[in-house]
Amino acid sequence: MTDDEPDDRPQVLERSRTGLGELVLRRCGADLELISGGMFLMDTRDGRSERAMVERVLAVAPPGARLVIGGLGFGFSLAAAVASPVPAEIIVVEIHRQVIEWNRTYLPERTERNTADPRVRIVHGDIAAWLDRDDGPLDAVCLDTDNGPEWLTTPENGALYGGSRLGRLGERLGDPGAVAFWSANRSAAFEAALRNAFREVAVHETPVARGEPDVVYLARHPAHAPAQGR
């Protein structure tokens, strides 16, 4: 590398030790990257699949929906939600307080614009525990938690993708209502669990620059509910 060439090697901006392992925020060229427990978690390079997750779930949600997003990330999902007139309430639950703060520090214009929307509420907490405590209606749910069911930086997140959790989530959904899951790869086992819990499951792929496509699973009509009137 010469003095005139840009240095695209990752530069660590901040480190934070949490109860779930170390979080590292770094800059690589013009982009930010988040590393959790030594594993790549997300970056700011694209965001198409995160936005698509929200757009797809809101496309089938009722007007005035209560939208719950599990995971703030770098704010792509929240931006898509704010851009839509469908939700009357947008709740984002993020387990890492550092991620909330880093969005404010390193992405201030985007963060301030989105959180200024009166429909938005950012909650610091675990999405699974929050869903268990909350008793409000669930019209639309987007779970962008970890890297999906088969690529977990935090093993405890695996419970979100289990059959019992899917069944309870389906019981909470209104009619119409939908839940979407983001995943860094396709999972046959998770898809089977979804089809066991919901009568309608769609799989949408978004090509990425390298590796397998990002995947959004969209599930509707809980299997326990009567088919009449659907």
Side-chain angles (χ1 to χ4, degrees):
M1 183 181 68
T2 67
D3 292 340
D4 295 330
E5 292 176 330
D7 187 354
D8 289 335
R9 292 174 297 181
Q11 171 194 2
V12 173
L13 300 175
E14 296 199 36
R15 294 180 184 271
S16 178
R17 293 198 175 276
T18 76
L20 299 173
E22 184 184 51
L23 283 178
V24 177
L25 179 71
R26 66 189 192 186
R27 188 178 299 282
C28 187
D31 295 291
L32 299 177
E33 299 177 337
L34 188 63
I35 311 300
S36 176
M39 294 178 63
F40 178 86
L41 190 59
M42 66 187 76
D43 61 34
T44 58
R45 289 181 178 86
D46 195 339
R48 285 180 301 151
S49 58
E50 290 90 341
R51 291 191 295 266
M53 173 183 65
V54 173
E55 290 164 358
R56 290 187 183 281
V57 83
L58 290 179
V60 296
R66 183 177 190 242
L67 169 64
V68 178
I69 302 174
L72 173 61
F74 283 127
F76 291 117
S77 300
L78 174 57
V82 168
S84 171
V86 173
E89 184 179 8
I90 302 167
I91 303 167
V92 183
V93 184
E94 171 57 53
I95 195 169
H96 293 297
R97 190 181 299 278
Q98 294 82 358
V99 170
I100 299 173
E101 292 302 319
W102 289 343
N103 269 270
R104 293 170 178 158
T105 302
Y106 294 96
L107 299 168
E109 292 184 5
R110 179 195 301 176
T111 302
E112 290 170 7
R113 180 174 64 251
N114 291 333
T115 56
D117 191 299
R119 298 173 296 170
V120 173
R121 178 158 58 101
I122 307 293
V123 178
H124 170 230
D126 176 77
I127 183 62
W130 188 89
L131 286 169
D132 287 341
R133 291 193 305 269
D134 176 73
D135 59 0
L138 295 178
D139 302 308
V141 180
C142 292
L143 295 178
D144 182 3
T145 306
D146 223 310
N147 282 317
E150 293 187 351
W151 185 10
L152 299 172
T153 63
T154 305
E156 292 80 359
N157 285 334
L160 279 171
Y161 304 99
S164 59
R165 167 65 65 179
L166 297 178
R168 292 198 301 275
L169 190 55
E171 292 170 359
R172 297 281 310 283
L173 283 179
D175 181 15
V179 55
F181 296 83
W182 186 95
S183 179
N185 61 287
R186 194 156 180 169
S187 168
F190 177 62
E191 189 173 331
L194 268 182
R195 294 190 184 282
N196 187 55
F198 295 87
R199 288 199 295 272
E200 182 179 325
V201 176
V203 183
H204 304 278
E205 296 186 348
T206 300
V208 296
R210 292 180 295 178
E212 298 183 42
D214 291 342
V215 180
V216 171
Y217 293 96
L218 182 66
R220 305 172 66 194
H221 309 321
H224 70 86
Q228 185 175 2
R230 293 284 184 175

